[in-house]
Amino acid sequence: MTGTPIRLLLVDDDPLVRAGLALMMGGAEDIEIVGEAADGGEVEDLVERTRPDVVLMDIRMPSVDGLAATERLRRRADAPEVVVLTTFHADEQVLHALRAGAAGFVLKDTAPAEIVDAVRRVAAGEPVLSPAVTRQLMRHAAGAAADSRRTRARERLAGLNDREREVAVAVGRGLPNAQIADRLFMSVATVKTHVSRILAKLGLNNRVQIALLAYDAGLLDETGH
């Protein structure tokens, strides 16, 4: 192994699930498990003590759930990335966790190698959401509050210039930087700069939140594929 291992914190109220995750992750040379928690209420103290790069977070826990724990963590200046563990593809709580700043989610019945890969990808700054899953979650987000969300989202996006808006739409479609660069005739470095500026202007944590905001604003409906 070369380089510094990814520091991982496991959070799940089921000791058997934690044991399985620990066994799974323990086999990866580039991942170091620095702590385990049985409830979201333990997470902030553990993060303070263990300084993980990534937190693998169960959503449903008896005292403080993964949603509340994610919201608290992502408010920190030095927040680790959060990957949500769930049993459902399109779950309202998963959507809330993504809005709170989680970098993606994995299903509990996902193949071990894919969960390990998800941790690696998030540590490298890549969201763990395929375009298909993103679309499914966004459809799930539609509902009674859609109109008010659209108004708020459009107000927030009004501060972007035209180029940033184009990049935001492309991110909303789940495109990686290389494809955005090809589509918008710019370099990958320029795409990364635009994404960083969008995050800073809108006060967002990651690309997933850009995608959700673009969807809420109706930009993905208005623009062709």
Side-chain angles (χ1 to χ4, degrees):
M1 182 187 70
T2 59
T4 305
I6 299 163
R7 297 172 63 80
L8 178 67
L9 175 64
L10 303 176
V11 186
D12 196 295
D13 65 320
D14 187 334
L16 290 178
V17 171
R18 287 202 312 277
L21 290 170
L23 184 64
M24 184 190 309
M25 297 297 172
E29 291 186 352
D30 58 339
I31 295 175
E32 176 188 358
I33 297 170
V34 295
E36 298 182 20
D39 188 77
E42 304 170 23
V43 172
E44 283 193 281
D45 285 343
L46 265 176
V47 164
E48 192 68 38
R49 285 192 278 117
T50 64
R51 300 291 178 181
D53 301 304
V54 179
V55 179
L56 200 52
M57 179 96 71
D58 187 22
I59 276 219
R60 291 178 173 83
M61 290 178 285
S63 179
V64 177
D65 65 20
L67 173 59
T70 297
E71 289 176 333
R72 292 174 187 175
L73 277 187
R74 294 304 297 175
R75 291 192 199 109
R76 296 171 61 101
D78 56 347
E81 296 294 348
V82 177
V83 180
V84 171
L85 279 169
T86 181
T87 53
F88 298 101
H89 277 282
D91 177 88
E92 189 66 30
Q93 286 188 297
V94 174
L95 191 69
H96 288 169
L98 296 175
R99 290 186 190 281
F105 74 90
V106 292
L107 299 174
K108 287 191 175 182
D109 60 359
T110 298
E114 292 181 30
I115 296 181
V116 172
D117 182 58
V119 170
R120 290 176 176 143
R121 285 170 56 196
V122 165
E126 301 175 24
V128 184
L129 281 180
S130 70
V133 171
T134 301
R135 286 193 296 272
Q136 185 178 6
L137 277 166
M138 287 175 175
R139 284 195 298 270
H140 186 69
D147 287 343
S148 61
R149 276 204 311 269
R150 175 164 296 199
T151 300
R152 290 195 302 271
R154 290 190 172 190
E155 287 172 353
R156 293 185 70 186
L157 290 169
L160 301 183
N161 62 38
D162 290 343
R163 208 56 166 155
E164 290 164 347
R165 191 182 180 93
E166 289 177 328
V167 172
V169 170
V171 169
R173 299 200 186 288
L175 300 180
N177 288 340
Q179 287 186 32
I180 296 174
D182 288 343
R183 180 170 293 196
L184 299 181
F185 306 104
M186 61 177 70
S187 69
V188 171
T190 302
V191 173
K192 290 179 179 177
T193 298
H194 280 309
V195 170
S196 295
R197 286 177 179 166
I198 292 166
L199 292 172
K201 280 186 175 183
L202 300 178
L204 301 177
N205 286 297
N206 55 41
R207 297 167 73 98
V208 176
Q209 289 185 321
I210 295 175
L212 290 169
L213 194 61
Y215 176 82
D216 284 348
L219 298 186
L220 308 187
D221 301 330
E222 296 171 357
T223 313
H225 292 269

